Amino acid sequence: MSEYVERAKTYIEEGNVEEALKLARKRHGKDDTDSYINILNLLIDNDYLPALEEKGMYYQYYDPDHDDGDYGEKYFDEYLKKQPRSINVLCDKAMSRFNKGEIDESIAYMDKAVDKYKSYSSIEKPRLSKADVIMARIELLIQAKRYEDALKNLKQYENNFASTQKSDLYLGCMLQKNGENRQAIEYLDKSILEEDTLMAYNAKGDALYELKEYDDALKCYNHCLQYESKIDNDLELKTNFNYKAAYCCVNLGNDAEAIKYLNKTISMLNEHGRLPNDIEKIYQKCSFEKERIMKTGEVEDKEFKQSKFFSAKTAIIALIIIIILYLILIMNGYG
């Protein structure tokens, strides 16, 4: 047992459980996971509820395999048995269900958190305001790609609460998904004035693209490219602004510039092996468009110009020569 666990044990025996929890968090910050978990277990054994949520949060966000895919849910369940009106843990539970792919159940737990907000557990104060809980629920809808539901809830949010940068951003994005592009741009511009975000510029680019205002759309997509290195895990988003930048150039009659974006998109998707169906369709679309442009003979593909490719016949002849040379070396005792 580490010195930190012993120290936490002393804190608990003295009734200073808050100090023990602080110590656990410090050990977590130092990557001393064993001490962190052992201190939490001591606190849980002493019926200190915040330690139950803390342990669940660890498996929700930090543990590499999320406790074999449980995402801390069993600890949140144990907490809710004792405090079923806990807003904080109802939200935690919602995230566990979401991470397990149970979208409807996840939304239902967020609904419970909203419903119980007026009479939450007296032993704790919610970390989130009611407006924030509702916004968190909307974010789950957006992640689940339930855009119509998200738009409906965002409009209700706008009526009930003051607008924020986040609500303007999401409203703009959902209006764009709904084809209400002019109104979407109004909200996105409001959002951008408060914070320059990739999400806003991508959605604004899409709105302008749908309105056939390709020059302005291309400016938005080029702005997105500045942040590309920060979103390596979002292939769908990266693909969107890269390939649409190419098609902006096509529609503006600039095939030479379009080839640059097409090459980049094709190369990027080639690196990912098997692609989801929707992205595979984009890959094929870009490949066909590049082939169409190159057949015009009016554009030089500078990116691939330096690469020398043998014809199939030449490659076979070269292979035969290599084999013959290899056999000669063996016959002369060099094998």
Side-chain angles (χ1 to χ4, degrees):
M1 190 175 290
S2 75
E3 62 176 291
Y4 305 104
V5 178
E6 290 289 356
R7 193 187 310 170
K9 201 171 183 181
T10 300
Y11 285 142
I12 293 168
E13 288 170 354
E14 293 171 350
N16 198 352
V17 287
E18 291 86 356
E19 200 61 35
L21 183 56
K22 286 181 186 177
L23 178 59
R25 288 170 174 166
K26 286 179 182 177
R27 298 320 303 161
H28 187 206
K30 297 289 185 180
D31 292 327
D32 181 6
T33 304
D34 287 341
S35 295
Y36 172 65
I37 295 296
N38 284 328
I39 294 171
L40 292 182
N41 288 338
L42 287 174
L43 288 164
I44 290 168
D45 289 343
N46 280 269
D47 295 322
Y48 187 54
L49 274 179
L52 260 179
E53 186 189 13
E54 181 81 19
K55 193 170 181 182
M57 295 285 273
Y58 169 74
Y59 289 115
Q60 179 90 270
Y61 297 106
Y62 301 104
D63 181 51
D65 66 357
H66 304 286
D67 196 17
D68 199 24
D70 185 62
Y71 289 91
E73 188 170 10
K74 61 175 170 271
Y75 300 104
F76 302 140
D77 285 341
E78 190 64 29
Y79 192 111
L80 290 170
K81 285 179 185 176
K82 300 176 181 180
Q83 290 294 336
R85 306 190 75 81
S86 168
I87 305 302
N88 296 333
V89 181
L90 284 168
C91 293
D92 296 335
K93 168 85 173 179
M95 285 306 303
S96 292
R97 300 311 295 160
F98 185 86
N99 286 324
K100 292 179 178 182
E102 301 294 341
I103 309 301
D104 290 335
E105 287 185 30
S106 174
I107 301 299
Y109 275 101
M110 292 303 293
D111 287 339
K112 285 183 181 180
V114 174
D115 291 341
K116 296 181 186 301
Y117 205 92
K118 289 182 181 179
S119 56
Y120 56 79
S121 170
S122 60
I123 70 164
E124 64 174 40
K125 183 177 180 180
R127 288 187 295 270
L128 302 175
S129 67
K130 185 175 183 180
D132 287 338
V133 173
I134 292 172
M135 182 55 69
R137 180 185 183 279
I138 290 169
E139 288 176 328
L140 290 181
L141 288 169
I142 293 172
Q143 288 184 61
K145 297 186 177 182
R146 290 169 53 172
Y147 299 133
E148 287 187 16
D149 287 344
L151 179 58
K152 178 182 175 182
N153 281 270
L154 280 162
K155 288 178 176 178
Q156 291 175 349
Y157 181 96
E158 188 181 38
N159 290 332
N160 295 331
F161 305 100
S163 67
T164 64
Q165 182 273 332
K166 185 181 283 188
S167 67
D168 287 337
L169 170 62
Y170 290 155
L171 248 174
C173 290
M174 294 305 101
L175 286 165
Q176 194 285 313
K177 295 285 187 187
N178 200 46
E180 300 174 57
N181 292 300
R182 285 292 175 206
Q183 192 177 4
I185 291 170
E186 292 177 15
Y187 280 100
L188 292 167
D189 281 341
K190 282 172 62 181
S191 168
I192 288 168
L193 280 174
E194 294 186 53
E195 185 179 353
D196 183 328
T197 63
L198 171 60
M199 188 176 181
Y201 273 100
N202 181 70
K204 184 178 178 181
D206 286 351
L208 290 164
Y209 187 91
E210 292 299 323
L211 292 166
K212 303 187 186 316
E213 297 178 19
Y214 300 117
D215 195 35
D216 288 335
L218 183 58
K219 290 175 184 176
C220 288
Y221 294 137
N222 280 330
H223 193 89
C224 293
L225 290 169
Q226 298 175 31
Y227 302 93
E228 191 168 17
S229 62
K230 298 179 181 179
I231 54 161
D232 285 338
N233 62 336
D234 196 334
L235 183 61
E236 183 178 358
L237 179 57
K238 285 175 67 175
T239 301
N240 183 74
F241 58 72
N242 274 289
Y243 102 88
K244 283 184 179 170
Y247 276 86
C248 283
C249 294
V250 169
N251 284 293
L252 290 167
N254 191 346
D255 285 350
E257 194 67 17
I259 283 292
K260 295 178 184 178
Y261 291 108
L262 289 168
N263 279 337
K264 183 183 173 189
T265 305
I266 291 166
S267 296
M268 177 180 72
L269 296 180
N270 272 333
E271 294 173 2
H272 284 79
R274 187 174 180 82
L275 298 167
N277 288 338
D278 53 343
I279 298 181
E280 176 65 31
K281 288 177 182 177
I282 292 171
Y283 176 82
Q284 296 295 337
K285 183 178 180 181
C286 290
S287 299
F288 291 144
E289 185 60 25
K290 179 182 174 179
E291 184 179 357
R292 182 196 68 77
I293 292 173
M294 297 312 300
K295 280 181 177 178
T296 66
E298 297 175 2
V299 177
E300 185 179 25
D301 190 352
K302 294 180 181 179
E303 181 176 340
F304 294 102
K305 185 179 179 182
Q306 295 178 347
S307 300
K308 303 296 183 183
F309 297 99
F310 294 122
S311 68
K313 181 178 178 181
T314 304
I316 291 170
I317 292 171
L319 180 59
I320 291 171
I321 292 170
I322 291 169
I323 292 171
I324 291 171
L325 289 172
Y326 177 69
L327 291 172
I328 292 172
L329 287 171
I330 290 176
M331 290 170 65
N332 285 278
Y334 290 98

